[in-house]
Amino acid sequence: MESGPMISIGLPIALFIIMVGIGMTLNARDFHQVTVKPAGLLVGTFTQIVFMPLVAFVLCWALSLPAPIAVGLIIIAACPGGTTSNLFTLLARGNVALSIVLTVSASLITILTLPFFTNFALRQYFGAEQEIVLPFARTVAMLSVIVLLPVVIGMLVRAWSPRLASRAEGIVSIFGALVLLILVVGLVWGMRDRIGELMFLAGPSSILLNLLGVLAGLTISHICGLSRRDSLAVATELGIKNGTIGLMVTLTLLHSSEMSVPSAVYGVLMFPSGMLLAYYGRKKVREADEGEAANIGETG
């Protein structure tokens, strides 16, 4: 599944539409509520932008991954959370407003950090003599157009017609899931002769990155004194990545199907862990409600 017109043109357009959907979930009040108590925003943004790529580098070293898989793993680690993370945060009874703002803030910051980590990984694993490089200016420009601009458009649509935005939001979320599914199926088919080997190489590292992200989100948030709802939002953002951005970078900018494998594998494996996190969050809420009811019964 090398970069053809469907990928080089269709994928950025699809991602643009998905980011409009994120924008339609936001208004100025969402940003105000989170910035009044910014601890969750600071912890979530730092762990997404800095901590996760560092975890990926450690995994690449510990597992001795081949160069294309290593670079692909670092790319997906450096990607922000996607619209799906907001849904899983809702299912887990986490702080949805924080999740949405973390998705947007990380998406905007990764306009700069994603090219940086990608080029560092390319130099680390391919060496200076290789021609493969992620063009920084072009990448920043492309990410700005398909991340910043559509978020602003989505917010304007919501301000103009909240009812229209509410209806369109669900449609865009489904569209995003379908785009990711089509990309994953296309990648599997295009590399069907080597899919077993590539899954063997990328599967364990992708699973470990996902699980370590979720566990780190819960643990670091607890250490920093965040509430349970905020901790769940941070953990979900670290575990549920925007695989479409990872695929866009590897397929349209780097023109490498092998580098795209970790993003494709991660995009599939993150759903089971997301459901487990949702179950964990709802279980904790139920236990807290039962404990509160018991305390009321005793005092009564």
Side-chain angles (χ1 to χ4, degrees), residues 4-179:
M6 187 180 73
I7 295 299
S8 59
I9 299 175
L11 182 52
I13 291 174
L15 187 56
F16 185 98
I17 295 171
I18 293 168
M19 295 308 295
V20 169
I22 291 181
M24 286 191 291
T25 68
L26 291 168
N27 57 38
R29 187 172 60 253
D30 293 324
F31 289 98
H32 176 72
Q33 289 173 344
V34 173
T35 53
V36 168
K37 296 181 179 179
L41 177 60
L42 294 174
V43 171
T45 300
F46 175 81
T47 48
Q48 281 192 87
I49 299 301
V50 178
F51 181 78
M52 289 302 289
L54 294 179
V55 170
F57 275 107
V58 172
L59 286 174
C60 293
W61 168 78
L63 299 175
S64 300
L65 297 179
I69 301 299
V71 173
L73 188 73
I74 291 163
I75 288 174
I76 187 62
C79 286
T83 52
T84 313
S85 64
N86 308 145
L87 172 60
F88 277 117
T89 301
L90 177 66
L91 294 174
R93 304 291 179 87
N95 187 337
V96 179
L98 175 60
S99 175
I100 292 172
V101 175
L102 282 174
T103 297
V104 175
S105 65
S107 296
L108 300 181
I109 295 172
T110 51
I111 290 173
L112 297 175
T113 57
L114 180 55
F116 170 80
F117 281 116
T118 301
N119 278 326
F120 184 84
L122 287 168
R123 288 193 298 270
Q124 184 76 19
Y125 292 101
F126 284 96
E129 73 280 0
Q130 295 291 328
E131 291 296 326
I132 298 176
V133 65
L134 184 67
F136 188 87
R138 179 186 170 196
T139 305
V140 170
M142 178 176 284
L143 290 175
S144 298
V145 170
I146 63 175
V147 173
L148 178 59
L149 179 61
V151 167
V152 172
I153 291 174
M155 292 181 67
L156 291 174
V157 170
R158 175 167 177 170
W160 172 65
S161 178
R163 183 177 299 179
L164 173 63
S166 179
R167 290 201 302 266
E169 179 188 339
I171 297 173
V172 170
S173 297
I174 295 172
F175 174 76
L178 287 175
V179 168

Side-chain angles (χ1 to χ4, degrees), residues 184 198-199 202-204 206-207 260-270:
V184 170
L198 293 172
M199 282 293 291
S206 298
I207 293 172
S260 70
V261 171
S263 290
V265 173
Y266 195 100
V268 174
L269 297 178
M270 69 183 184

